[in-house]
Amino acid sequence: MPISDFLGHSRQLLETLQSTCLGGEEVIVSQQEIQQVEKNLLASIALARSLTNAARPVNRIPSTALVRIFAFVQEGDWLAPSPTADIAQNSPALWTQLHIQAIPRHVQYFLDQSFPSPLRVFCGTPNKNATPLEFMYDTAAKSTHALRCLCDHLERIEELHFLSTFPVDLVLQKDRFSRLILPSLSSRRLPSSHLSSPTQTFDILSELFSHPAPLMLKLSLHGISITYMLNSATRYTTLTHLALYNQVRSNEQMDQFSDLDRLLDVLQATSRSLQSLILVRADISSNSREIGAQSKYRIISLPALRSIEIGDWVTNGHVAYFLAHLGIPGKAKRCIWGSDLKYLSSILFSIDVETAQRKERGWDSDINRVVFTSAKGGEMAGIYNRTVYIQGGLDFLSIYPLFRDQPQIFQKVEELCLTPIPSQVIPTAEEYRLLFTMLPNVRRLVMYDMDVTDILQVLGLYNSRTLREVAQDTVFPELREFDIRFSKQTDTSQRLDGLGKEFRTSLLSIVIGLTKLAQGRAKIGCGFEKMSLDLGFRSLTGDARDDCMELLPHLERWVSKVEVNNEADSSNIAKEDADGLVSTILKGIWPTNASHGRF
C-alpha cells in the first residue's frame, strides 16, 4: 500500500472514531480498548516523525561521512535524541573525548559508549571567564564522582589535561568530605550495624595517578596536580607530550631541589618517546646544599625530543642547572622566556658529554641564521629551524657573552635579521661592531622598519682610514646581500619605526649612504651582489621620488643587482604592519600559547 493511501485510510478511521464518540451516541468502550487506541496513535506519530527525519538531507549522507563530521563536534551532547542518534550510539570513537567539568553527570555513560576506544580527558574548560562560586561547588561535587568513574578506565586514557580553570581545591574538599567527614557524621546518627566502611582510602588525585596508564601519550597538568603526579610511584613510559604549569610550592620549599629527582625520574621513564616538554612556572629552586645526591650527576638523554619550552622560572640559573641534566638533540626547538633572562649560553646550548665528544664543535645542529626582534610579549631566547632568536629587551651584557663564549657555534651563520630593538639591547655602534665581529661569515643582512644610520656606520660608511686598514678590519667581509624593508602601515602620517620613534635618516640619505658603502666595499674586494629596498609606508612620490630614482644608477654601478619596490609604482608591497612583519619572522616559536596564559 502506498504511504499516501495508508495515511488517508488512517485519517478516515480517526474521523469515524471521533464522530462516533462525540456524536451523542452511547458507546461502550473498555479501558483496555482506549489504551490500545492511544498506543496506535503514538505509534502513528512515531512513524510520521521517522518519515520526516528520513526525508531530511542529512540522512542521505553516508554514515561513515557522518561519523567523521561528528568527530569535530564531540563536545556536543549526544544524549539528546536526533535523526543521527543510531549512528552516534554505534560509533565508540565519538564518545572518547570527555570534558569532566562540562558533563560530570554523563561521564559514566561516555565511558560505556566509548569502550574500548582510547580516551581523551579534559578537566576544566578553555574559557577563563569568572564562574559563579555556587556553580563551581556544584560542579566540584559531580566532578569528584566523575573522576572516581574515570579511575576504573585508566588503562584506556591516551590524553589527560588538567586546565587552570578546573577547581582542583574544591574537588579535593568534596572528595575528603565524602570519604572522611560524611561517614564520621553518619556514625553518630546511625547504629553501627547500619554503617559500612568507606571504600576509598586515598583521595581522588592520589587514586588517579597511582595506576598505570599504558596508552598515555599526552599529559598536561596544572597546579597541585603536578605534585600528585611527581609524588606517585607510577611512571608513564609512553608519553610524547608533557606539560606542567604553575606548580604549587610552600614557602619551605622555595629554596630546595625537592622535586628535581622526581622530575628526572618522570623524564627517565619516558625518555625514549618524549617529543615535547613544556615547563611554565614549574621550576626547581636553587640551593646547592639541598641538591639530592641522586640527581646531582644524572644526565637524562631525550633522543626523540623535538621541542622544549621553559617559561617564567624564578631565576635563569635554575633553567641552566636543569638543562645541564638533559641530553637534548641540537635540532630540537628551544624556547626559553621570562623576565631578566641571563646565562644564554648555558640555556640555549646546553651540551651533554656524549655530544661534545661526538662533534668537533660540541653542537649537533648547524646554526645558519640569527634574528633580533622586540615583539610584544616579553623576553625570549630560542632556537628553531637552525635559527637563534633573541627577543625583547635583553641588555647587551646578557646577549654578547652568548656569541663570545660559543664562537664555534656561529661560524656558519649566513643571515642576520634585525628589527627595531630597545637601546639597552645594542646601545651604540660600537656594541653593534662587537656583535658583528662574532659573525664573520654573514652573507645576507636583513633590516625591518629600522633606522639604518648606525648599521651603515658599522659597515664602514664613514671610515677615514686607508684601504689597507679598512680591508684588514672590515665587518662582515663575506656580506653580499643587503635587504632593507619597511612595512605598510595604515597611518602613514606618523612614519615611525617599530618602537614608535621617528626615523633619523631620510630615504634619499639612505640611498646615498648605500651607494658610498657599496663603492667603498667594492674597492676592497667585498662588493655587494644584491641590494633590495622595499619602501612600504615610506614610499616616495613627486620630486622626492624623482630625486631618489636619479641616484639609483650610481648605486647600480657598484652593485650587481638592485631592487626597489615603491608603493606608488608597484603592488608588490608587504601588507603587514610592523607587528605583522615581526610576527612573520617569529612564526613557529613566539609567542606561545603558554606565554599568553592559555593553559
Side-chain angles (χ1 to χ4, degrees):
M1 176 186 298
I3 293 180
S4 57
D5 294 345
F6 173 79
L7 295 177
H9 183 63
S10 300
R11 183 178 179 182
Q12 292 178 2
L13 292 177
L14 287 173
E15 291 176 349
T16 301
L17 179 61
Q18 184 179 11
S19 61
T20 302
C21 295
L22 302 178
E25 300 180 8
E26 183 178 358
V27 180
I28 300 175
V29 182
S30 66
Q31 187 68 28
Q32 184 178 3
E33 291 175 320
I34 294 176
Q35 292 176 351
Q36 186 61 43
V37 170
E38 183 178 4
K39 290 181 180 180
N40 292 340
L41 290 174
L42 292 175
S44 300
I45 293 173
L47 175 61
R49 289 178 176 175
S50 298
L51 294 174
T52 301
N53 290 334
R56 291 177 178 174
V58 68
N59 288 286
R60 301 193 186 106
I61 302 176
S63 58
T64 53
L66 281 175
V67 170
R68 300 193 65 177
I69 293 173
F70 294 158
F72 290 100
V73 289
Q74 288 191 44
E75 294 183 24
D77 189 358
W78 295 116
L79 303 179
S82 70
T84 56
D86 290 340
I87 296 176
Q89 295 287 346
N90 296 317
S91 303
L94 297 179
W95 304 83
T96 58
Q97 187 163 298
L98 278 65
H99 292 264
I100 298 296
Q101 194 171 353
I103 55 165
R105 294 178 301 172
H106 305 318
V107 165
Q108 186 60 58
Y109 186 81
F110 272 64
L111 290 172
D112 294 339
Q113 287 296 121
S114 62
F115 187 83
S117 300
L119 301 172
R120 301 173 62 211
V121 181
F122 295 84
C123 299
T125 61
N127 186 5
K128 289 193 173 184
N129 294 333
T131 304
L133 187 60
E134 60 274 12
F135 176 78
M136 291 183 64
Y137 270 103
D138 180 63
T139 303
K142 296 173 182 176
S143 298
T144 301
H145 175 71
L147 289 175
R148 287 288 178 190
C149 296
L150 187 66
C151 287
D152 295 330
H153 297 265
L154 293 176
E155 73 283 354
R156 294 170 51 199
I157 295 182
E158 193 172 75
E159 296 184 25
L160 177 61
H161 305 272
F162 273 80
L163 306 182
S164 59
T165 54
F166 189 65
V168 177
D169 292 337
L170 289 178
V171 169
L172 291 174
Q173 290 177 19
K174 291 289 185 180
D175 179 63
R176 182 174 183 273
F177 180 82
S178 61
R179 289 186 303 107
L180 303 176
I181 299 178
L182 186 58
S184 176
L185 293 176
S186 300
S187 64
R188 301 176 184 179
R189 303 182 58 182
L190 297 176
S192 58
S193 59
H194 291 78
L195 296 176
S196 59
S197 59
T199 57
Q200 292 88 18
T201 57
F202 299 101
D203 64 63
I204 184 60
L205 290 188
S206 296
E207 185 76 15
L208 188 66
F209 291 109
S210 64
H211 297 290
L215 298 183
M216 186 79 76
L217 297 179
K218 296 183 179 181
L219 181 63
S220 176
L221 303 179
H222 182 279
I224 197 171
S225 60
I226 299 175
T227 303
Y228 277 87
M229 185 272 292
L230 293 177
N231 290 339
S232 173
T234 301
R235 297 293 179 232
Y236 305 109
T237 60
T238 56
L239 289 179
T240 58
H241 294 71
L242 175 63
L244 307 179
Y245 306 98
N246 286 356
Q247 184 175 5
V248 176
R249 290 185 177 280
S250 63
N251 292 333
E252 292 78 9
Q253 291 178 313
M254 288 302 293
D255 293 323
Q256 298 180 9
F257 276 85
S258 57
D259 293 329
L260 181 57
D261 285 329
R262 288 187 284 265
L263 181 56
L264 293 179
D265 287 341
V266 170
L267 297 178
Q268 181 69 67
T270 189
S271 60
R272 293 185 176 275
S273 60
L274 191 64
Q275 300 176 13
S276 173
L277 177 62
I278 301 176
L279 302 172
V280 175
R281 290 188 288 278
D283 56 315
I284 308 300
S285 300
S286 60
N287 185 337
S288 58
R289 293 174 299 177
E290 303 292 340
I291 300 174
Q294 178 186 357
S295 64
K296 191 171 184 179
Y297 302 105
R298 292 179 67 182
I299 300 295
I300 308 300
S301 179
L302 303 173
L305 195 69
R306 299 177 182 175
S307 173
I308 180 169
E309 177 181 352
I310 297 179
D312 210 11
W313 281 29
V314 177
T315 70
N316 294 282
H318 304 171
V319 179
Y321 184 84
F322 172 70
L323 290 176
H325 290 78
L326 304 183
I328 303 174
K331 295 181 180 179
K333 179 170 72 173
R334 290 162 167 77
C335 180
I336 316 297
W337 54 271
S339 58
D340 193 28
L341 286 183
K342 296 183 183 300
Y343 313 110
L344 297 189
S345 296
S346 301
I347 288 175
L348 292 182
F349 300 105
S350 54
I351 303 173
D352 62 276
V353 177
E354 182 181 351
T355 301
Q357 293 176 346
R358 187 175 70 252
K359 287 289 182 178
E360 180 181 350
R361 294 180 295 109
W363 183 250
D364 60 349
S365 179
D366 293 329
I367 301 298
N368 64 2
R369 184 168 176 254
V370 175
V371 174
F372 285 86
T373 63
S374 58
K376 298 176 182 178
E379 300 174 357
M380 182 273 296
I383 300 176
Y384 180 52
N385 281 346
R386 301 172 65 190
T387 300
V388 171
Y389 293 88
I390 307 296
Q391 147 66 25
L394 294 169
D395 61 83
F396 183 76
L397 294 179
S398 298
I399 295 173
Y400 181 65
L402 169 65
F403 299 89
R404 181 197 63 198
D405 298 342
Q406 305 277 4
Q408 74 280 6
I409 292 177
F410 297 96
Q411 291 300 307
K412 293 189 177 182
V413 171
E414 296 185 350
E415 179 177 320
L416 175 63
C417 178
L418 300 174
T419 68
I421 46 183
S423 58
Q424 71 268 22
V425 178
I426 307 180
T428 65
E430 184 59 31
E431 274 74 23
Y432 271 113
R433 185 178 183 85
L434 283 174
L435 178 64
F436 290 174
T437 55
M438 297 292 102
L439 304 170
N441 295 309
V442 167
R443 293 185 57 84
R444 182 169 185 252
L445 177 61
V446 186
M447 301 177 63
Y448 292 86
D449 282 331
M450 283 190 66
D451 199 312
V452 301
T453 304
D454 289 338
I455 303 301
L456 294 180
Q457 178 181 347
V458 174
L459 294 179
L461 176 59
Y462 305 112
N463 278 336
S464 58
R465 295 174 294 176
T466 64
L467 289 179
R468 178 177 297 179
E469 291 174 337
V470 172
Q472 292 175 348
D473 195 27
T474 300
V475 175
F476 292 156
E478 302 298 325
L479 184 64
R480 296 297 179 265
E481 295 185 26
F482 200 167
D483 190 346
I484 300 174
R485 180 176 177 182
F486 298 98
S487 59
K488 182 179 180 181
Q489 300 178 2
T490 55
D491 186 3
T492 58
S493 61
Q494 296 186 17
R495 297 185 179 276
L496 305 177
D497 67 13
L499 295 178
K501 298 180 180 179
E502 294 185 0
F503 289 97
R504 293 178 294 165
T505 310
S506 67
L507 285 176
L508 190 61
S509 298
I510 289 177
V511 175
I512 295 174
L514 290 175
T515 302
K516 291 185 176 180
L517 177 65
Q519 179 183 3
R521 291 180 67 95
K523 290 181 178 180
I524 61 173
C526 300
F528 290 105
E529 297 174 357
K530 179 180 179 182
M531 277 193 179
S532 299
L533 186 60
D534 194 337
L535 303 184
F537 74 95
R538 300 189 71 185
S539 60
L540 300 173
T541 57
D543 293 340
R545 174 191 174 280
D546 295 339
D547 292 342
C548 186
M549 293 300 109
E550 288 179 2
L551 292 174
L552 288 182
H554 298 281
L555 179 60
E556 292 171 344
R557 178 182 176 185
W558 304 105
V559 181
S560 302
K561 183 177 182 181
V562 177
E563 295 180 351
V564 178
N565 290 326
N566 192 40
E567 183 179 6
D569 303 331
S570 172
S571 60
N572 187 26
I573 299 295
K575 300 301 181 183
E576 307 98 331
D577 57 15
D579 290 339
L581 276 173
V582 175
S583 298
T584 301
I585 298 169
L586 294 172
K587 186 176 181 180
I589 189 169
W590 186 260
T592 66
N593 287 332
S595 67
H596 281 312
R598 293 195 289 265
F599 47 76

